[in-house]
Amino acid sequence: MQFDLTDLRLFVLSAEECNLTRAARRQHLSLAAASARIKALEVQTGLPLFYREARGVRLTPPGEAFLHHARGVLRQTEQLRTDLQEYGGGLRGHVRVFANTTAVTDFLPEILPGFLSANPNVNVDLQEKPNPEIARGVLDGRADIGIVAGHVDTLSLQAIHFSTDRLVLVTSRQHRLAKRRRIAFADTLDEDAVGMHQGSTLQTFLAQVTDKLGKPLKLRVQLSSFDAMCRMIGAGVGVGIVPESAARRNQHSMNLALIELVDAWSVRERYVLVREREALPAYAQSLVDAICAHYQAGQTP
């Protein structure tokens, strides 16, 4: 089957509008021409893609599947256009990275300056995403590289282990829990809490844990970085769950106590996800190598 991009755009607009007339208008087509194009798509697929109803159109089950793939084709086409424009402007490489909160806010800011300095003609598009969306993004081509931690369905992608992430309870040194060596997360839920922003990978994960425990976090403030969390915790605002690397970086300057969590989920293996490492452009492979080398060189995970 060969599909025209105009037909695919028209189909997506029709599905979004649930109305062929409005979709035709947005695509600058007559209603008759738009109707003929949709009919031609259905002839090519051999399946009805829309239910025709008095007030508009509605997707059939095959139409739902076609919509998913049509959006993917249009998204990749737009990305191709953007990338080629950048190459025309002298850029030779563009790496799209989907990553979890810890990667975006904690260790990639340490790694990327050196990588970008060594690769002046390469741009990095870094986006924070939930773990499941990271894997899907790499699988469907929206991202070249994904960075995840913990138990994640990798969707048969190539998973490259590069370090171990440990979550710890952080309190001020004056807090009543500060002298504890180990603690269960459930035993912290009566305390005022400092958290990451809503939608962050870590906060979403902790919300899932508290849902199972049947008791929510008593969040007093939510912030956009682990360093900001540590500052609030050190000032006595509350306790928080923070990656050990961020907690140790701020431990002395912010008056922090670190307490080991006994929960098995507090130890999380970190992976770089790629469709096929050998098929990545050389500059994308060098970013994967830089991430792995950062920890092999003895950096604190």
Side-chain angles (χ1 to χ4, degrees), residues 168-184:
V168 296
L169 177 72
V170 180
T171 73
S172 72
R173 288 179 186 163
Q174 289 73 41
H175 195 277
R176 68 180 190 86
L177 297 177
K179 296 188 183 301
R180 296 279 296 269
R181 293 185 59 190
R182 307 179 78 215
I183 195 169

Side-chain angles (χ1 to χ4, degrees), residues 178-290:
K179 296 188 183 301
R180 296 279 296 269
R181 293 185 59 190
R182 307 179 78 215
I183 195 169
F185 177 63
D187 294 336
T188 73
L189 295 180
D190 288 329
E191 305 297 325
D192 288 336
V194 175
M196 283 293 286
H197 60 89
Q198 188 174 6
S200 67
T201 312
L202 178 57
Q203 210 58 41
T204 301
F205 172 75
L206 291 177
Q208 293 168 352
V209 175
T210 56
D211 282 347
K212 291 178 182 177
L213 294 172
K215 192 172 185 178
L217 283 167
K218 295 170 62 178
L219 285 166
R220 293 198 66 198
V221 62
Q222 292 180 262
L223 302 155
S224 60
S225 75
F226 294 120
D227 289 348
M229 280 184 65
C230 289
R231 188 172 297 112
M232 288 286 182
I233 293 167
V237 173
V239 304
I241 304 299
V242 177
E244 187 178 20
S245 55
R248 292 203 179 282
R249 183 172 63 244
N250 294 297
Q251 183 174 9
H252 298 296
S253 63
M254 297 184 185
N255 193 40
L256 304 177
L258 279 60
I259 300 121
E260 179 185 348
L261 290 168
V262 300
D263 306 83
W265 51 256
S266 65
V267 179
R268 308 187 301 171
E269 303 303 328
R270 288 170 169 165
Y271 298 91
V272 171
L273 302 182
V274 296
R275 290 184 296 282
E276 186 178 352
R277 187 171 185 173
E278 294 73 18
L280 288 172
Y283 52 82
Q285 289 194 47
S286 69
L287 178 55
V288 175
D289 293 341

Side-chain angles (χ1 to χ4, degrees), residues 5 75 102 156 186 229 246 273:
L5 291 178
R75 184 169 53 243
T102 306
S156 301
M229 280 184 65
L273 302 182

Side-chain angles (χ1 to χ4, degrees), residues 7 10-11 14 20 34-42 50 52:
D7 291 348
L10 175 64
F11 174 82
S14 300
L20 190 56
S35 181
R37 284 176 175 270
I38 294 297
K39 186 64 179 176
L41 280 179
E42 292 179 315
F50 286 112
R52 273 73 172 177

Side-chain angles (χ1 to χ4, degrees), residues 2-300:
Q2 295 183 351
F3 299 113
D4 182 271
L5 291 178
T6 299
D7 291 348
L8 294 183
R9 292 190 188 97
L10 175 64
F11 174 82
V12 171
L13 288 173
S14 300
E16 291 174 348
E17 295 281 358
C18 297
N19 186 286
L20 190 56
T21 301
R22 288 196 295 269
R25 189 181 304 122
R26 288 179 60 183
Q27 198 69 353
H28 306 292
L29 295 170
S30 68
L31 178 59
S35 181
R37 284 176 175 270
I38 294 297
K39 186 64 179 176
L41 280 179
E42 292 179 315
V43 170
Q44 278 201 71
T45 60
L47 295 164
L49 301 178
F50 286 112
Y51 295 116
R52 273 73 172 177
E53 300 176 337
R55 295 188 177 181
V57 294
R58 178 168 56 89
L59 287 169
T60 63
E64 294 278 2
F66 193 89
L67 176 64
H68 170 75
H69 291 289
R71 282 174 168 160
V73 170
L74 293 174
R75 184 169 53 243
Q76 290 182 338
T77 301
E78 179 60 23
Q79 190 61 61
L80 173 62
R81 184 188 65 79
T82 300
D83 286 355
L84 290 178
Q85 285 179 341
E86 291 173 340
Y87 278 96
L91 182 69
R92 291 203 298 270
H94 191 110
V95 188
R96 292 172 290 273
V97 182
F98 284 5
N100 63 7
T101 306
T102 306
V104 170
T105 64
D106 196 45
F107 66 83
L108 282 178
E110 297 180 15
I111 297 170
L112 288 177
F115 171 80
L116 292 169
S117 177
N119 298 271
N121 294 315
V122 176
N123 281 355
V124 175
D125 175 9
L126 174 61
Q127 298 183 40
E128 181 182 342
K129 300 285 185 180
N131 275 324
E133 189 173 341
I134 294 170
R136 287 196 298 270
V138 175
L139 185 66
D140 66 22
R142 287 177 292 139
D144 304 298
I145 296 169
I147 300 174
V148 297
H151 298 290
V152 179
D153 183 356
T154 61
L155 306 178
S156 301
L157 296 165
Q158 188 174 353
I160 304 159
H161 181 267
F162 65 92
S163 74
T164 301
D165 174 32
R166 293 175 177 84
L167 297 173
V168 296
L169 177 72
V170 180
T171 73
S172 72
R173 288 179 186 163
Q174 289 73 41
H175 195 277
R176 68 180 190 86
L177 297 177
K179 296 188 183 301
R180 296 279 296 269
R181 293 185 59 190
R182 307 179 78 215
I183 195 169
F185 177 63
D187 294 336
T188 73
L189 295 180
D190 288 329
E191 305 297 325
D192 288 336
V194 175
M196 283 293 286
H197 60 89
Q198 188 174 6
S200 67
T201 312
L202 178 57
Q203 210 58 41
T204 301
F205 172 75
L206 291 177
Q208 293 168 352
V209 175
T210 56
D211 282 347
K212 291 178 182 177
L213 294 172
K215 192 172 185 178
L217 283 167
K218 295 170 62 178
L219 285 166
R220 293 198 66 198
V221 62
Q222 292 180 262
L223 302 155
S224 60
S225 75
F226 294 120
D227 289 348
M229 280 184 65
C230 289
R231 188 172 297 112
M232 288 286 182
I233 293 167
V237 173
V239 304
I241 304 299
V242 177
E244 187 178 20
S245 55
R248 292 203 179 282
R249 183 172 63 244
N250 294 297
Q251 183 174 9
H252 298 296
S253 63
M254 297 184 185
N255 193 40
L256 304 177
L258 279 60
I259 300 121
E260 179 185 348
L261 290 168
V262 300
D263 306 83
W265 51 256
S266 65
V267 179
R268 308 187 301 171
E269 303 303 328
R270 288 170 169 165
Y271 298 91
V272 171
L273 302 182
V274 296
R275 290 184 296 282
E276 186 178 352
R277 187 171 185 173
E278 294 73 18
L280 288 172
Y283 52 82
Q285 289 194 47
S286 69
L287 178 55
V288 175
D289 293 341
I291 293 169
C292 295
H294 179 75
Y295 290 95
Q296 291 169 359
Q299 297 278 348
T300 302

